[in-house]
Amino acid sequence: MSASTHLADSCGPGDVYTAMCPCRDMLDLLANKWSALAIGALEDGPQRFGELRRQLQGISPKVLSASLKRLEDHDLVTRTVYAEVPPRVEYALTDLGHSAAVPLAALRDWVEDNVTTH
Amino acid sequence: MSASTHLADSCGPGDVYTAMCPCRDMLDLLANKWSALAIGALEDGPQRFGELRRQLQGISPKVLSASLKRLEDHDLVTRTVYAEVPPRVEYALTDLGHSAAVPLAALRDWVEDNVTTH
DNA sequence: CGTGATAGTACCCTACAGAAACCAGGTGCC
DNA sequence: GGCACCTGGTTTCTGTAGGGTACTATCACG
């Protein structure tokens, strides 16, 4: 179903409540457990695959690599490969990623503040 | 790092990066496309099932009812049945739900502001 | 010559998201 | 009477996202 006709501006200024708006995709990407955690982890600076894997406790390598690929596709993170041995790959936030990190941090903070460990 | 001890069933101050922390569940719930949209829709006041279904374009009744049930289980929304004909069921935010709506609104706003419609 | 580290991929399986059909049960319409 | 229509879901079926574990390539080190 290509919406690539002049239907493109059908959701005007961007409305996440409109099904065919491209911002739905972005919401689906960001409103996701692993994306929110990964972007938060990268706020501290670039991280390697293994570092992220350890930090995002419970994520499997397959899911981490898929999540990062999706974030890369949406220009939220960059992937830099260093031709070294052992191999080194660094993931870093783009400017867009850094700006997205702000509302995501607010969401994580709300969760940590409002879930009582009682 | 400060990873002195990983508590078995409690993560102390609440850390979404800890796999077994109960706040992981809450993050998983809120960091979700439909939850973010549903909570946003309910900010305007209580809504009926059919109203939400129309507002959250593209959601299926099964997924909507499951999402609302999950939000209800976490005390973010209330479900009120009126014994009328035709049947009427109203969903409304709790106080906790209203406070969660704030960071979620920020996230939706970021998405709408940063996804170019072309 | 075997072990370890890194950054993934391959394989398999389960659970859930999503689409479409269906249900209860009361009302208005003819 | 009989039938379509309203609401708020549930049931059924299927595709895909997620997850566990094993395995790869490359080189350094002992």
Side-chain angles (χ1 to χ4, degrees):
Chain A
M1 318 303 183
S2 78
S4 52
T5 59
H6 52 280
L7 186 72
D9 56 349
S10 61
C11 59
D15 177 11
V16 288
Y17 285 94
T18 304
M20 56 282 208
C21 181
C23 55
R24 242 323 158 71
D25 286 337
M26 184 62 92
L27 182 67
D28 195 33
L29 172 62
L30 291 184
N32 169 292
K33 183 176 52 171
W34 295 129
S35 297
L37 291 174
I39 290 179
L42 290 173
E43 272 190 286
D44 302 331
Q47 303 255 355
R48 305 176 60 172
F49 188 89
E51 290 170 336
L52 286 171
R53 189 177 165 187
R54 278 183 291 274
Q55 217 174 326
L56 278 60
Q57 290 188 17
I59 198 169
S60 71
K62 188 191 110 176
V63 174
L64 178 56
S65 107
S67 300
L68 291 170
K69 218 167 277 175
R70 210 174 150 206
L71 290 171
E72 200 193 346
D73 288 344
H74 285 76
D75 288 315
L76 291 164
V77 310
T78 55
R79 180 177 180 272
T80 311
V81 182
Y82 296 90
E84 300 174 358
V85 164
R88 185 158 66 97
V89 178
E90 272 192 356
Y91 293 89
L93 289 184
T94 61
D95 288 345
L96 189 65
H98 271 292
S99 84
V102 178
L104 289 177
L107 182 59
R108 289 195 314 276
D109 288 346
W110 184 91
V111 169
E112 296 188 343
D113 288 347
N114 287 276
V115 175
T116 55
T117 31
H118 59 217
Chain B
M1 300 311 180
S2 62
S4 46
T5 45
H6 286 291
L7 306 163
D9 49 347
S10 163
C11 55
D15 177 11
V16 287
Y17 286 94
T18 304
M20 55 282 209
C21 180
C23 54
R24 240 328 155 68
D25 286 337
M26 184 61 93
L27 181 67
D28 196 33
L29 172 61
L30 292 184
N32 169 292
K33 184 176 51 171
W34 296 128
S35 297
L37 291 173
I39 290 178
L42 291 173
E43 272 190 285
D44 303 330
Q47 304 256 355
R48 305 175 60 173
F49 188 87
E51 291 170 335
L52 286 171
R53 190 177 164 186
R54 278 183 291 275
Q55 216 175 326
L56 278 61
Q57 290 188 18
I59 198 171
S60 72
K62 187 194 103 172
V63 173
L64 178 56
S65 106
S67 300
L68 290 171
K69 218 166 277 176
R70 212 174 149 206
L71 290 170
E72 201 193 345
D73 288 343
H74 285 77
D75 289 316
L76 291 163
V77 312
T78 56
R79 179 176 181 273
T80 311
V81 182
Y82 297 90
E84 301 175 358
V85 166
R88 186 159 65 97
V89 179
E90 273 192 354
Y91 293 90
L93 288 184
T94 61
D95 287 345
L96 190 64
H98 272 291
S99 83
V102 178
L104 290 176
L107 182 60
R108 289 194 314 276
D109 288 346
W110 183 92
V111 169
E112 296 188 343
D113 289 346
N114 287 276
V115 175
T116 57
T117 35
H118 49 265

